Amino acid sequence: PRGSLFAGIGGTYASGFLGALLRVGYEWRLGKHWAISANLGYRPKGTLFIGGSSVGSVSGAEFGLGVSALL
């Protein structure tokens, strides 16, 4: 297996949510067609919108684990 480290800074606007995102992770390639990835992220304080008006904030840590088939 071989792997790669990644890091990202970005923003989100979806389903009434507006906020930033910081994420780091690692991906392991298993041969030519499979990959497993894990990531950790932190979402700084962001604004939650419902019906076009601000209703509070959201923040906290997040994580993810994925398996991919590469064709």
Side-chain angles (χ1 to χ4, degrees):
R2 59 190 166 129
S4 59
L5 181 66
F6 61 88
I9 299 172
T12 303
Y13 179 76
S15 301
F17 177 78
L18 178 62
L21 177 64
L22 309 169
R23 182 177 287 167
V24 295
Y26 193 80
E27 180 183 75
W28 296 271
R29 290 281 178 105
L30 306 172
K32 290 175 87 174
H33 300 289
W34 296 98
I36 298 173
S37 64
N39 64 68
L40 295 173
Y42 177 73
R43 189 175 298 277
K45 188 175 179 181
T47 305
L48 180 63
F49 293 95
I50 295 179
S53 60
S54 173
V55 294
S57 62
V58 177
S59 67
E62 63 180 43
F63 63 92
L65 180 64
V67 176
S68 303
L70 309 167
L71 303 174

